Amino acid sequence: MTSAAAKLITTEVAIIGGGLGAVAAALALLQRGRRVVLTEEYAWLGGQLTSQAVPPDEHIWVEQFGITARYRALREGIRTYYRDNYPLSASARIDRELNPGRGRVSKLCHEPRVANAVITAQLAPYRSNGQLTVLQPVVPVSAEMNGTTVRGVTVVDLRTGAETEIVAEFFLDGTETGDLLPMTGTAFVVGAESQADTGEPSAPEVADAGNVQSIAWCFVFDHVAGDHTIERPVDYEYWRSFELPYWGAPMLSFTAPNPRTLVPEERTMHVNPEFDATGDPRIDPGDRDLWIFRRIAARNTFAEGFYDSDVVLANWPQLDYVGGSIIEFEDRAVHLAAAKAQSRAYVYWLQTEAPRPDGGHGWPGLRLRPDVVGTDDGFAQAPYIRESRRIKALTTVREQDVSIKVRGYGGPAQFEGSVGVGMYRIDLHPSTGGDNYIDVDCAPFEIPLGALVPVATQNLLPAAKNIGTTHITNGAYRLHPVEWNVGEATGELAAFCLDHGLSPQQVATDPDLVTQVQHRLTEAGVELHWPEIAGY
C-alpha cells in the first residue's frame, strides 16, 4: 500500500479529514480515553466553521435546546473568547446571547479565526498528553483492506510529499466529500437519486451522479478609506456576462432567485449601516441586505472606535458555482479554480461596478481581510462544500420522512434508534445539474443510528455530511449543529464498539445495544428527541 520509506503510525481510532464533525468525534473519543490520529488538509481544523469561514447556520431554538452539550460548549467558548479578549460595548458585555457580528443568518455570527482558536484550545490537552496526534496538511491517497475491514489508510503531506500509513482499529471519514468511501470500497451514493430510487417528490426522474449542490468560495471584507480595488481578473468579462437561465440577471449583480418562490429578487447592500436588523427565518431567509446577512463583526458590538468598519463574510447566492462537481476528482482542480475565479470576479464587480444606494457605482474602499481567514488573499482557505458522497446505510433518511409538505405538521420526525436531533429547512442551492433552489419546509428531525452505519464495511463510520441521507435530505442534515452531532455520535459509537468488541452493524441491529449507546449519548449531553414543536 505504501512505499518502503512511509512512516507508520498505529492508533485506536483514525479520523481522516478534520471537518466540524471530525472535531466533535475526536472530542468524544478523547474524553472516553481513546487514542486518536486526526488528519486535515488545511491549516485550521473545523471545516465549514473555520477553513471554509461560514458562521453557523442554526435553528431558532438553539439557545434553549436542540443541540449537544459539547456543541453548546463550543458556542459558549466562542462567546467567552470575545469577552476575554475583545473590548466589547457595555451592552454587549452583559448580553448572555452575545452575537458579535449581529448577522441575520445566525444567533452567533463570528470570525472564523475565533472558532479556530476555541477548537485549538479544546484539543490542546489531548495533544499535550499524547492521546491526540494531528497531521496537517495531509490528504488520504489509499487504503488497505482485509475483506470488509479497513486495515490502514495512507496520507500524503502536501508540502513534502512524504507518506504516512495510519493503522487503526476504527476509521472515521471526516472529509468534506467522503473521500474514504471509494478508497475502502464502501458502498456509497453520489449526486441525485431518481424518484424511482427514493420515492421523493423533489427528486428528479433520472438519477445523476454529477448533480450536486453548488460550492461557494467565500471571502471576508470590510470598508475603509482608500482605494483597495484588486487587479482586474483576466476572466472578468466572462463572469460579467455569465447568467443562469433562471437567475433573472448575470451572476455579477445583486439579483438572485428567492429560494422559496424561485422568483428573481433584487438584494441590496448598505455599507456600514447604522441600523441593525433581526428577523424570523420561518418567514424571512434574511438575505435581502447582503451586508448584514452574514456580518461577522459589527462595530456596535465593540467599544466605540475599536473597529473602523463592520467585517462581513460573503457567502451569497451570487458566489454559487455550478460549473461542475468537485467530487469527480479528475476535474476537481479545474472546478475549484473556477469557483474561486467567480468569487474573485464578484469582488472586483463590488469594487468597481456594483450599484450603490446613493446612485453611484462601486465601492473602492471595500477591502479584503486575509488576516481574518488565515490566507494571503482574503478568500477562505477552502471552498464551502454543501454535499458529499453518502454511505449506503442501514437507514436512509428520505424527503417523505421529514418534509412538512409530504408528512404534514405532525410533530418532530422520529426514527428508531435516535442518536441526536437537528433542524433546518430542506435547503438545496442551485446545482451542477441545472436545478434551481429546492427549498422545502422541514420538521424538526432525529438522526437515526442506522444512517451512520454502512451496509458492509465493518470499522468505518461517517463523521461529516457523508451519512445515509439522500441528495434531497442532505439539504437539511448538512448544517453545522447536525454535522457536529453526527461526529459526536460516531465517536461515541466507535468508543462503545471498542469497549465491547463489537461492529457498528452488530450494535445497530440489536435493540438492547442501541439502548446502551443511547444512554451513553444522553450521559454525554446529546439530546435524542425534540419536544413537541413545529418546523418551518
Side-chain angles (χ1 to χ4, degrees):
M1 180 176 70
T2 61
S3 67
K7 180 181 178 181
L8 175 65
I9 297 179
T10 302
T11 189
E12 291 178 309
V13 181
I15 306 174
I16 308 300
L20 194 58
V23 170
L27 285 169
L29 284 156
L30 294 164
Q31 290 167 10
R32 295 290 181 184
R34 293 296 175 176
R35 291 182 294 111
V36 175
V37 171
L38 175 61
T39 77
E40 169 56 16
E41 178 177 357
Y42 296 100
W44 291 349
L45 298 170
Q48 59 179 321
L49 191 65
T50 57
S51 61
Q52 298 174 31
V54 179
D57 290 281
E58 299 170 330
H59 57 73
I60 62 173
W61 307 285
V62 66
E63 302 294 346
Q64 290 79 42
F65 52 81
I67 56 174
T68 75
R70 291 185 181 107
Y71 186 76
R72 191 171 300 283
L74 173 69
R75 299 177 87 253
E76 288 309 308
I78 290 168
R79 286 175 169 150
T80 298
Y81 190 95
Y82 277 98
R83 293 184 181 115
D84 289 348
N85 296 287
Y86 283 69
L88 300 177
S89 69
S91 59
R93 185 159 296 282
I94 63 173
D95 186 356
R96 293 182 60 188
E97 298 183 2
L98 172 65
N99 186 352
R102 303 188 184 188
R104 289 290 307 275
V105 75
S106 171
K107 295 179 182 293
L108 184 60
C109 288
H110 57 82
E111 299 169 75
R113 61 180 170 187
V114 172
N116 174 60
V118 174
I119 288 170
T120 299
Q122 289 180 323
L123 295 174
Y126 307 103
R127 299 182 80 163
S128 293
N129 76 356
Q131 258 186 276
L132 173 65
T133 299
V134 179
L135 303 179
Q136 290 171 286
V138 302
V139 294
V141 291
S142 63
E144 182 176 327
M145 302 295 295
N146 181 10
T148 57
T149 300
V150 186
R151 196 197 77 81
V153 170
T154 296
V155 297
V156 63
D157 190 303
L158 295 174
R159 300 163 300 184
T160 67
E163 292 185 347
T164 300
E165 180 183 1
I166 307 169
V167 175
E169 298 176 62
F170 256 88
F171 289 85
L172 274 57
D173 186 341
T175 65
E176 297 297 326
T177 51
D179 298 346
L180 283 194
L181 305 184
M183 291 182 192
T184 58
T186 299
F188 68 89
V189 179
V190 63
E193 301 93 339
S194 69
Q195 286 187 8
D197 293 331
T198 65
E200 296 173 304
S202 297
E205 291 187 7
V206 179
D208 183 355
N211 186 17
V212 300
Q213 284 198 68
S214 53
I215 65 172
W217 212 303
C218 303
F219 56 89
V220 172
F221 65 94
D222 59 11
H223 186 272
V224 294
D227 187 344
H228 304 282
T229 305
I230 65 172
E231 183 178 351
R232 180 185 175 94
V234 294
D235 55 0
Y236 182 67
E237 284 304 317
Y238 169 80
W239 292 110
R240 190 171 182 266
S241 61
F242 180 78
E243 182 175 347
L244 295 171
Y246 51 79
W247 205 257
M251 294 295 277
L252 301 193
S253 69
F254 285 142
T255 300
N258 181 307
R260 303 181 190 183
T261 67
L262 304 185
V263 176
E265 294 179 344
E266 189 78 7
R267 273 65 170 176
T268 60
M269 192 171 87
H270 291 84
V271 169
N272 285 318
E274 292 301 323
F275 61 89
D276 276 332
T278 58
D280 187 335
R282 288 172 289 192
I283 57 175
D284 174 11
D287 63 348
R288 295 306 299 271
D289 189 89
L290 297 179
W291 184 277
I292 61 174
F293 181 36
R294 295 182 186 270
R295 182 174 51 191
I296 57 176
R299 293 166 298 155
N300 293 341
T301 300
F302 303 91
E304 186 174 353
F306 181 68
Y307 274 96
D308 294 328
S309 168
D310 296 344
V311 181
V312 175
L313 182 279
N315 175 24
W316 303 330
Q318 294 86 352
L319 308 186
D320 285 357
Y321 172 76
V322 298
S325 170
I326 64 167
I327 300 178
E328 297 301 320
F329 280 89
E330 61 269 20
D331 295 329
R332 180 182 175 90
V334 172
H335 294 308
L336 288 173
K340 195 168 188 179
Q342 179 175 332
S343 293
R344 187 181 296 110
Y346 200 77
V347 171
Y348 186 78
W349 178 81
L350 286 173
Q351 293 173 322
T352 60
E353 294 193 76
R356 301 196 308 260
D358 65 5
H361 290 84
W363 287 277
L366 186 153
R367 176 180 65 172
L368 289 169
R369 290 291 303 272
D371 56 309
V372 176
V373 289
T375 63
D376 293 332
D377 58 8
F379 293 86
Q381 297 171 25
Y384 178 36
I385 297 174
R386 299 183 172 99
E387 189 168 341
S388 172
R389 299 178 181 89
R390 305 176 297 279
I391 62 168
K392 288 189 176 180
L394 297 184
T395 302
T396 300
V397 180
R398 303 168 301 163
E399 181 181 6
Q400 52 268 45
D401 296 322
V402 297
S403 165
I404 289 174
K405 183 177 181 180
V406 178
R407 66 188 294 276
Y409 284 91
Q414 298 180 315
F415 295 91
E416 291 292 328
S418 172
V419 293
V421 298
M423 171 62 210
Y424 205 74
R425 293 177 65 85
I426 298 175
D427 170 25
L428 279 75
H429 281 238
S431 73
T432 57
D435 296 332
N436 200 339
Y437 284 95
I438 298 174
D439 194 286
V440 180
D441 292 3
C442 189
F445 52 79
E446 297 174 351
I447 304 167
L449 177 61
L452 310 186
V453 181
V455 293
T457 309
Q458 296 294 295
N459 65 335
L460 175 69
L461 293 169
K465 296 180 282 290
N466 47 357
I467 67 172
T469 56
T470 65
H471 171 68
I472 300 297
T473 56
N474 165 73
Y477 278 72
R478 66 182 173 83
L479 285 310
H480 302 66
V482 181
E483 182 182 342
W484 181 278
N485 194 326
V486 165
E488 267 200 67
T490 54
E492 294 284 2
L493 176 59
F496 182 86
C497 289
L498 288 169
D499 288 348
H500 298 281
L502 298 166
S503 72
Q505 290 80 4
Q506 289 173 305
V507 174
T509 55
D510 184 321
D512 290 337
L513 294 174
V514 171
T515 298
Q516 291 181 47
V517 171
Q518 289 178 313
H519 286 161
R520 190 178 183 121
L521 289 165
T522 299
E523 290 171 357
V526 177
E527 298 179 22
L528 303 183
H529 306 291
W530 285 99
E532 284 298 317
I533 53 176
Y536 53 87

